[in-house]
Amino acid sequence: SDAPDVTFEFEPACSLEVQVSGDLTAGYAVQVRQLGEDGEKVTTHFLATMRSTQKVQEDGRAVLNALQPGRYEVTLQQTGHDTDTLGFLRNAKQVALETVEVTRAGQQLGLTVPTRHTVVVHAEGQEAGKTLQLTPEGGNRYSGMVSSDVGQNSMARFENVFAGEYTLRLEGGS
């Protein structure tokens, strides 16, 4: 036949087996985003982003399959226990970030859930029932934001706060 010979070369698919340690009761997922040679995130279709996210199982494992060899940004996100992928991605709070070079199938990575704290604020001069918000510095205004109402004793109690710098605001104020 006069048809030219065609040769296909396939790179073997890689996978990342993530083991998450720490208190998993809040519900977590691991998401990977491929990085380009310049270190910038490679733009992907929304469905590819959903496929590159796996809920962390009760044993702390999350396996991400069918990855191309390359550098990835791996984020551990607190997602709650929403079983709908869109729901848990929409409400996710990033709690850990690693950059890794993925080169083979079954590559291992360990991540640790940061310790969550309780923060109590004395809101002198604020009426009971007013809502205060703690917003992480340098982050999305809503991702990681924690709210609490001022009690009769002028105190506001924020639960499940990760270590870091925050701005304290009165809801509807500054």
Side-chain angles (χ1 to χ4, degrees):
S1 130
D2 292 335
D5 289 338
V6 177
T7 304
F8 292 98
E9 289 187 34
F10 296 97
E11 290 186 37
C14 298
S15 63
L16 192 59
E17 297 179 7
V18 181
Q19 182 64 50
V20 180
S21 59
D23 181 0
L24 301 175
T25 56
Y28 292 88
V30 174
Q31 184 175 56
V32 294
R33 294 284 308 265
Q34 190 166 18
L35 299 175
E37 290 183 21
D38 58 1
E40 294 294 317
K41 294 177 192 168
V42 174
T43 303
T44 57
H45 186 275
F46 179 70
L47 291 175
T49 300
M50 286 177 48
R51 281 194 305 271
S52 66
T53 303
Q54 291 293 318
K55 295 239 359 134
V56 174
Q57 303 303 311
E58 288 180 10
D59 64 359
R61 290 191 63 213
V63 179
L64 297 127
N65 291 308
L67 301 176
Q68 297 288 327
R71 286 186 49 222
Y72 286 83
E73 181 180 89
V74 182
T75 57
L76 177 63
Q77 301 191 30
Q78 181 181 339
T79 57
H81 296 284
D82 197 333
T83 56
D84 171 52
T85 304
L86 291 176
F88 79 68
L89 286 176
R90 183 175 28 256
N91 300 314
K93 295 179 197 174
Q94 180 178 309
V95 298
L97 173 70
E98 290 277 335
T99 300
V100 298
E101 186 78 26
V102 179
T103 58
R104 59 186 163 74
Q107 190 166 327
Q108 306 283 314
L109 175 67
L111 295 175
T112 302
V113 174
T115 303
R116 294 174 287 176
H117 304 276
T118 298
V119 176
V120 179
V121 174
H122 181 86
E124 188 173 326
Q126 295 300 322
E127 298 174 32
K130 291 284 188 180
T131 301
L132 296 177
Q133 299 170 333
L134 276 180
T135 306
E137 287 292 323
N140 177 321
R141 174 160 158 63
Y142 298 103
S143 178
M145 182 179 69
V146 183
S147 297
S148 178
D149 291 338
V150 176
Q152 294 295 329
N153 58 359
S154 297
M155 304 296 268
R157 182 181 182 95
F158 299 91
E159 302 286 343
N160 298 318
V161 178
F162 293 104
E165 293 185 26
Y166 290 80
T167 300
L168 178 65
R169 290 186 175 93
L170 178 63
E171 187 175 74
S174 57

